[in-house]
């Protein structure tokens, strides 16, 4: 059973396009995250949602808009894609208020903007 | 602002040797620290999670220590095997009113030679 899943796994698109990445978790967690891993392999948090409410927005361009239709889903929509958006995007989830707050990561979506 | 540093950036050892990976962080007010493994082109696998009140955690050949006051954690991998080749990432969790934030180090790329 997949705990945190992302679709698509690979995404190749041209500059200026709009694209979405989907994330779903079946762990019953109430907090979900989006991270970006750049070409230098540095992982940085982008957004955090708790119970469908935006908690963290880490100075991400407003071309990036997360949407959480319910606690099990956190989608990432990107408008007007730029070359610098090429990266691997990871979704993660955790359960707040529980000792540990361990984050579980999805397999990643490799976005290539040409 | 929390900064996490991992040294060395890359490590190559012959099979059977013990591995020692270092992680340091600037803000000692962490909630927990996680060690992850990332294989090329893959997602993140959580290896060990140490709560701020703990000194170490062990799982099989893996042992992670935490010295919160000095802002350091060390991951030991005993009797390394070629299958241990991967990038190892440490991440610290800060609990803030503005949201829980996981900050990653740059990773240590490990190669275990048969």
């Amino acid at each position: 059973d997949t705990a945190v899943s992302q679709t698509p796994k690979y995404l190749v698109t041209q500059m200026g396009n709009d694209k979405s990445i989907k994330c779903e978790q079946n762990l019953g967690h109430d907090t979900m995250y989006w991270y970006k891993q750049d070409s230098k392999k540095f992982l940085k948090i982008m957004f955090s949602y708790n119970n469908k409410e935006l908690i963290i927005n880490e100075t991400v361009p407003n071309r990036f808009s997360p949407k959480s239709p319910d606690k099990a889903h956190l989608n990432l929509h990107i408008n007007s894609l730029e070359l610098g958006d090429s990266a691997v995007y990871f979704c993660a989830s955790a359960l707040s208020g529980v000792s540990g707050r361990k984050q579980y990561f999805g397999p990643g979506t490799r976005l290539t903007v040409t | 602002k929390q900064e996490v540093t991992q040294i060395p950036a890359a490590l190559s050892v012959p099979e059977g040797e013990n591995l020692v990976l270092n992680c340091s962080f600037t803000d000692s007010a962490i909630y927990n620290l996680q060690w992850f493994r990332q294989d090329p082109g893959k997602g993140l696998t959580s290896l060990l999670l140490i709560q701020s009140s703990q000194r170490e955690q062990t799982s099989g050949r893996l042992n992670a220590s935490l010295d919160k006051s000095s802002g350091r954690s060390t991951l030991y991998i005993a009797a390394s095997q070629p299958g241990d080749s991967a990038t190892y990432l440490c991440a610290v969790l800060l609990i803030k009113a503005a949201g829980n934030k996981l900050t990653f180090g740059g990773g240590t790329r490990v190669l275990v030679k048969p």
Side-chain angles (χ1 to χ4, degrees), chain B residues 9 19-21 30 39-40 46 50-51 73 75-76 79 83-84 86-87 89-92 94-95 100 109 112:
Chain B
L19 286 163
V20 180
L21 309 178
I30 65 169
D39 292 282
S46 181
I50 313 176
Q51 299 294 348
S73 176
L75 177 66
Y76 300 90
D84 294 330
T87 296
L89 297 156
C90 75
V92 296
L94 287 177
I95 304 293
N100 305 339
R109 194 169 62 254
V112 181

Side-chain angles (χ1 to χ4, degrees), chain A residues 20-73:
Chain A
S20 291
I21 307 171
K22 295 185 177 181
C23 177
E24 177 181 2
Q25 53 93 6
N26 62 5
L27 298 167
H29 290 167
D30 57 0
T31 307
M32 296 185 73
Y33 307 82
W34 276 109
Y35 290 85
K36 177 180 179 180
Q37 187 173 40
D38 59 25
S39 57
K40 295 182 180 178
K41 306 299 182 187
F42 240 102
L43 259 161
K44 289 190 69 174
I45 189 167
M46 300 173 68
F47 299 103
S48 165
Y49 267 74
N50 180 266
N51 285 316
K52 298 171 29 179
E53 183 180 340
L54 180 65
I55 301 299
I56 293 176
N57 180 341
E58 280 291 304
T59 320
V60 178
N62 57 16
R63 296 183 296 103
F64 290 78
S65 52
K67 284 184 173 53
S68 182
D70 53 60
K71 286 196 298 185
H73 297 83

Side-chain angles (χ1 to χ4, degrees), chain B residues 76-107:
Chain B
Y76 300 90
I77 304 177
S80 62
Q81 304 167 358
D84 294 330
S85 298
T87 296
Y88 292 83
L89 297 156
C90 75
V92 296
L93 182 67
L94 287 177
I95 304 293
K96 302 274 188 186
N100 305 339
K101 190 173 169 184
L102 196 62
T103 303
F104 282 84

Side-chain angles (χ1 to χ4, degrees), chain B:
Chain B
K1 179 186 172 186
Q2 177 72 272
E3 291 183 4
V4 182
T5 305
Q6 290 186 245
I7 295 173
L11 188 58
S12 180
V13 298
E15 182 177 2
E17 253 191 38
N18 297 332
L19 286 163
V20 180
L21 309 178
N22 297 301
C23 172
S24 61
F25 46 94
T26 54
D27 185 345
S28 62
I30 65 169
Y31 186 83
N32 64 38
L33 182 145
Q34 264 182 281
W35 281 95
F36 294 87
R37 170 185 172 138
Q38 185 175 29
D39 292 282
K42 303 286 187 183
L44 295 161
T45 302
S46 181
L47 298 173
L48 291 167
L49 183 148
I50 313 176
Q51 299 294 348
S52 61
S53 58
Q54 297 175 321
R55 300 282 292 183
E56 67 175 346
Q57 278 285 342
T58 299
S59 176
R61 293 183 296 112
L62 275 59
N63 174 277
S65 66
L66 175 64
D67 184 343
K68 208 173 75 156
S69 60
S70 67
R72 293 179 185 175
S73 176
T74 302
L75 177 66
Y76 300 90
I77 304 177
S80 62
Q81 304 167 358
D84 294 330
S85 298
T87 296
Y88 292 83
L89 297 156
C90 75
V92 296
L93 182 67
L94 287 177
I95 304 293
K96 302 274 188 186
N100 305 339
K101 190 173 169 184
L102 196 62
T103 303
F104 282 84
T108 295
R109 194 169 62 254
V110 171
L111 175 64
V112 181
K113 295 175 286 188

